[in-house]
Amino acid sequence: MNKIFAAFLILSFNVSADGVSDLNTFANNISSMSSEFSQVVLDKKGLKLQDVQGVMLFKRPNKFRWDYLKPYQNQIISDGERLYMYDQDLRQVSINPIAKVAGSTPLLIIAGKNVEKYFILKNIDDQNYTEANQNIKWVEATPKEEGAGFSKVILGLSDNKLSVMKIVDAFEHTTTISFKNAKYNISLVDNDFLFKLPDGVDVVQSGTPSNATASSSSIKNQDAEILTFIND
């Protein structure tokens, strides 16, 4: 019995220890990805605050595109140098140098190359084990930068591929992004990550509105802005 128990402990350790290795393999072997996604936000009591769907693309290094399609249409786009966040309802786009917000951008964990420069990675066990996710390896990424607007990101990988990403913010809200119909190492061009500025929108660039009609509330803490945008 003791030998069986010891073998179980060794097996459990090996399973959890594969997460960071799988994430590094994903970063090194997957140069691009396209996928549909669903995004659900729960408060700390487990009440649903948001349920949206969309499509995403990424191409290393640092190029990504998230198009929210239902129930509203917003965009988060990085062309590798600048990050654009477009809110259709507010008719406002925020533009920031990607180098300025790299340490506070959860999306760069999956599209960047040098993740451990900005995040502390560690293997964790599945806290909500089910038969459906029994083959998923979990990694916790904690931002090194203070005031990042979120406390941690949890990534689930299966067969060295990204399956799910969870973002926990300072209010203990959990954003769970699940991927489906994903395609890897596909041919993408730089034009896929160009942001086309709609006519008549307010522009907030590096915290300063370029249009006089932009409200003061649009000048947010840039470290928290991306997560706020995701959860709006």
Side-chain angles (χ1 to χ4, degrees):
M1 181 65 70
N2 289 338
K3 290 183 178 180
I4 294 175
F5 182 68
F8 173 77
L9 288 179
I10 293 172
L11 178 60
S12 298
F13 176 80
N14 287 338
V15 168
S16 64
D18 285 341
V20 172
S21 176
D22 281 10
L23 180 59
N24 288 330
T25 299
F26 176 76
N28 292 328
N29 293 350
I30 304 300
S31 61
S32 62
M33 172 181 170
S34 69
S35 180
E36 301 171 25
F37 70 85
S38 61
Q39 177 175 302
V40 176
V41 181
L42 304 178
D43 67 12
K44 63 180 180 180
K45 295 182 180 180
L47 298 177
K48 185 183 293 186
L49 303 177
Q50 182 196 74
D51 190 346
V52 298
Q53 299 177 34
V55 294
M56 60 81 73
L57 304 170
F58 84 72
K59 178 183 177 182
R60 300 190 199 278
N62 302 338
K63 294 182 176 69
F64 56 80
R65 181 186 189 103
W66 293 68
D67 291 304
Y68 292 84
L69 304 178
K70 298 178 182 179
Y72 50 78
Q73 296 180 342
N74 289 337
Q75 292 179 314
I76 305 177
I77 299 175
S78 168
D79 62 10
E81 296 182 359
R82 291 167 296 276
L83 181 68
Y84 303 84
M85 293 177 289
Y86 175 56
D87 189 312
Q88 186 182 56
D89 289 340
L90 295 179
R91 299 290 294 170
Q92 176 179 293
V93 58
S94 174
I95 306 174
N96 288 281
I98 199 69
K100 179 180 178 181
V101 297
S104 56
T105 309
L107 304 184
L108 275 183
I109 296 178
I110 61 175
K113 288 289 288 185
N114 191 6
V115 176
E116 292 184 270
K117 178 179 179 180
Y118 302 104
F119 297 89
I120 299 171
L121 304 179
K122 72 174 183 179
N123 300 294
I124 60 172
D125 293 323
D126 185 5
Q127 301 299 307
N128 298 294
Y129 179 85
T130 64
E131 185 175 349
N133 64 16
Q134 62 180 328
N135 294 321
I136 295 180
K137 312 299 189 302
W138 298 91
V139 181
E140 181 180 285
T142 305
K144 294 181 179 180
E145 184 175 304
E146 294 184 3
F150 60 97
S151 59
K152 61 184 176 182
V153 178
I154 298 172
L155 300 107
L157 298 104
S158 178
D159 297 325
N160 302 325
K161 304 292 195 307
L162 186 66
S163 297
V164 63
M165 179 169 68
K166 300 181 180 183
I167 306 169
V168 182
D169 69 16
F171 300 100
E172 299 182 45
H173 294 170
T174 300
T175 300
T176 300
I177 303 173
S178 302
F179 302 93
K180 66 177 182 179
N181 298 325
K183 298 178 181 179
Y184 303 96
N185 293 329
I186 59 176
S187 178
L188 297 173
V189 298
D190 290 345
N191 283 347
D192 292 325
F193 304 94
L194 292 181
F195 177 75
K196 297 179 180 179
L197 185 66
D199 294 333
V201 302
D202 293 336
V203 177
V204 180
Q205 189 161 349
S206 296
T208 304
S210 63
N211 187 316
T213 62
S215 66
S216 60
S217 63
S218 67
I219 309 175
K220 305 174 183 177
N221 181 321
Q222 296 301 316
D223 287 341
E225 186 171 3
I226 296 166
L227 190 62
T228 302
F229 183 89
I230 290 175
N231 290 340
D232 280 347

